[in-house]
Amino acid sequence: MSPFYQSLKHGRFMLIYLIILTALVSRTPELIAQERRTLAWPEVARKIVARLSLEPGERVIVIAHPDMFQDLVPHLRYEVIKTGGIDLGVINILASSAPIPWETGIIEPSYGSSRAVYRRMFEEVDAGIMLPGAVPAHPAYAALQERLKSGQGRTIHIHWTEDNSVIPLPGQPVPSLYEIDGIYQSVLLNTNYGALSRIQRRFERALRKGEVHVATPLGTDLRFQVGSRPVNRQDGDASARRADAGVILIDREIELPAGVIRVAPVEETVSGIIAFPPSQWDGRPVQGLRLRFEKGQVIEITADTGEDHVRAEMDKAGAAGRYFREFALGFNPELTIPDHRPWIPYYGYGAGVIRLSLGDNSELGGAVSGGYVRWNFFTDSTIAVGNEVWVEKGKLVMPVTDDGE
């Protein structure tokens, strides 16, 4: 083959390659969207609206991200109308990260005035459905949250994204969006909500009567009491009756998938040690971390490596960074950690997973403010309330059943 022909052939391949590459780059948003699973939209919408238990004439609005779950929106609106509710439509949030050459510093300063107007618009909203991508920083979301804080209305939250609802385990890969969507859809549709509610109520009654003891193989040995603190049960009940019986904000913010129970223990009763698996603090790795608590506050920090990183994060957080925030225990057997390529699904709502968090617990009815929040997940704990063991080595001892209380 002549050098001329070889050069021509190489050039032709390069041209084809560049054409394909250009097409791929230009279609990146579409390709990213195709990575998500096509869900059973009618069934998903039917289940979500059913959890609202709408009364005839209740007014419902959807708040969504323009690039996420838009195929679900018409089905939600249809189900609202079908069940006797009043459809108020959908508000798509304006994401400042949109791929448009906007000037910096233009979008965020407008949030305050938009939020005030939205607050007036939402004065007669009874229920909201918050879809993935919408967060409290967005004006419409924040305005509806203000209504909830005033003791009116309720919302269902569906945070099905890979960047916050998925908690990776050390050395394990993060699942794909396709896998996440499939698992969360299955859990949403197949959870036994009645059984979940019953076991959570049983656990709440136990919490009121006894001291909680949390232990792990690494050396966690923590004790606390909840006293009369509010206990938030995320059992999927988003009815008006349930919301009106709530006492804190998150009693009106119901998560789907469901499964966790959350409480801010009485700070003065929190004492002992939390021993951490490999973790990151201040964006850097830490090994062998142990925090000792007395009266709810960190009094000692030790680590095999990275102790300075822990102290740096806590110093940036202020006083809240050294306070115990929250105890949370997952109860949903449909959200347990997979055996193959394990990860923690949906904020640790699976049966036997716990959170021992640090920071501001004011939204839970606690006494610590300051804004800082750090969630710490544990998958191998043993939990006893009084003399009764509820979790043993990460497994829920009292399983969800259909039996009565």
Side-chain angles (χ1 to χ4, degrees):
M1 184 181 296
S2 69
F4 173 77
Y5 184 76
Q6 288 178 335
S7 176
L8 180 63
K9 186 176 180 181
H10 176 72
R12 183 181 300 166
F13 284 153
M14 286 301 296
L15 178 61
I16 293 172
Y17 170 76
L18 290 172
I19 290 172
I20 294 173
L21 180 62
T22 301
L24 286 172
V25 171
S26 66
R27 295 179 65 226
T28 294
E30 180 182 348
L31 290 173
I32 291 174
Q34 289 175 355
E35 291 177 0
R36 301 209 77 131
R37 182 186 294 262
T38 298
L39 300 180
W41 301 119
E43 290 84 352
V44 170
R46 194 173 303 123
K47 180 65 70 173
I48 291 170
V49 174
R51 302 314 303 162
L52 283 170
S53 300
L54 291 175
E55 297 291 334
E58 283 199 299
R59 295 151 291 200
V60 183
I61 195 162
V62 177
I63 297 181
H65 190 291
D67 299 325
M68 300 180 69
F69 281 60
Q70 286 294 309
D71 289 339
L72 177 59
V73 171
H75 295 286
L76 288 171
R77 298 176 67 181
Y78 170 73
E79 288 298 325
V80 167
I81 296 169
K82 182 180 174 183
T83 56
I86 297 175
D87 165 42
L88 298 182
V90 57
I91 292 178
N92 280 325
I93 60 99
L94 180 62
S96 59
S97 60
I100 300 175
W102 288 330
E103 296 179 37
T104 59
I106 298 297
I107 303 299
E108 286 81 358
S110 72
Y111 280 1
S113 55
S114 295
R115 178 174 174 172
V117 174
Y118 277 129
R119 181 68 180 87
R120 294 193 293 272
M121 288 173 57
F122 295 160
E123 286 180 355
E124 295 186 355
V125 170
D126 297 301
I129 301 174
M130 325 302 277
L131 294 185
V135 298
H138 297 128
Y141 192 120
L144 192 50
Q145 200 171 55
E146 284 184 11
R147 178 165 172 77
L148 303 183
K149 290 176 181 177
S150 72
Q152 298 173 302
R154 64 206 190 272
T155 54
I156 280 181
H157 294 240
I158 307 168
H159 296 305
W160 295 11
T161 57
E162 76 285 8
D163 59 346
N164 54 13
S165 75
V166 173
I167 298 91
L169 292 172
Q172 297 295 329
V174 175
S176 67
L177 284 174
Y178 190 89
E179 183 180 355
I180 295 167
D181 288 342
I183 290 175
Y184 289 174
Q185 173 179 260
S186 175
V187 176
L188 172 71
L189 298 179
N190 297 319
T191 290
N192 185 329
Y193 292 97
L196 181 62
S197 179
R198 287 193 292 273
I199 193 171
Q200 288 192 350
R201 289 198 301 269
R202 288 167 57 194
F203 186 67
E204 179 181 358
R205 289 196 296 271
L207 287 175
R208 300 293 185 198
K209 296 185 293 185
E211 181 182 64
V212 180
H213 179 211
V214 181
T216 67
L218 283 178
T220 296
D221 184 4
L222 192 72
R223 297 176 184 273
F224 58 82
Q225 298 177 30
V226 305
S228 59
R229 285 283 172 84
V231 174
N232 174 249
R233 300 191 313 273
Q234 289 292 336
D235 59 4
D237 182 354
S239 64
R241 174 192 56 77
R242 167 68 179 277
D244 291 341
V247 295
I248 52 178
L249 170 63
I250 58 175
D251 288 334
R252 295 181 177 272
E253 295 183 321
I254 303 304
E255 295 277 353
L256 292 177
V260 79
I261 198 165
R262 305 176 60 189
V263 63
V266 178
E267 287 77 17
E268 292 77 9
T269 70
V270 180
S271 65
I273 294 171
I274 299 179
F276 290 75
S279 55
Q280 280 205 343
W281 293 75
D282 197 35
R284 292 172 289 182
V286 177
Q287 299 280 344
L289 173 63
R290 293 166 67 90
L291 301 181
R292 182 180 294 275
F293 291 82
E294 188 174 298
K295 296 184 178 180
Q297 192 169 9
V298 176
I299 62 168
E300 184 181 50
I301 303 169
T302 60
D304 295 339
T305 62
E307 181 180 327
D308 289 346
H309 309 332
V310 179
R311 295 183 182 277
E313 180 171 326
M314 288 184 172
D315 289 344
K316 292 176 183 177
R322 285 177 163 79
Y323 271 96
F324 189 84
R325 163 184 162 84
E326 168 193 10
F327 168 79
L329 172 60
F331 282 89
N332 196 329
E334 303 287 340
L335 277 173
T336 52
I337 298 171
D339 292 329
H340 180 63
R341 294 192 299 125
W343 55 285
I344 302 175
Y346 210 76
Y347 305 99
Y349 283 24
V353 179
I354 68 167
R355 293 201 307 253
L356 301 175
S357 305
L358 303 178
D360 186 331
N361 59 13
S362 55
E363 73 168 358
L364 295 159
V368 180
S369 59
Y372 170 83
V373 172
R374 180 188 172 91
W375 287 351
N376 307 299
F377 295 87
F378 299 84
T379 62
D380 56 359
S381 63
T382 295
I383 302 171
V385 185
N387 296 322
E388 190 173 53
V389 175
W390 281 78
V391 177
E392 188 167 3
K393 297 180 180 178
K395 304 297 182 183
L396 195 63
V397 176
M398 295 191 172
V400 177
T401 70
D402 289 325
D403 297 334
E405 296 181 10

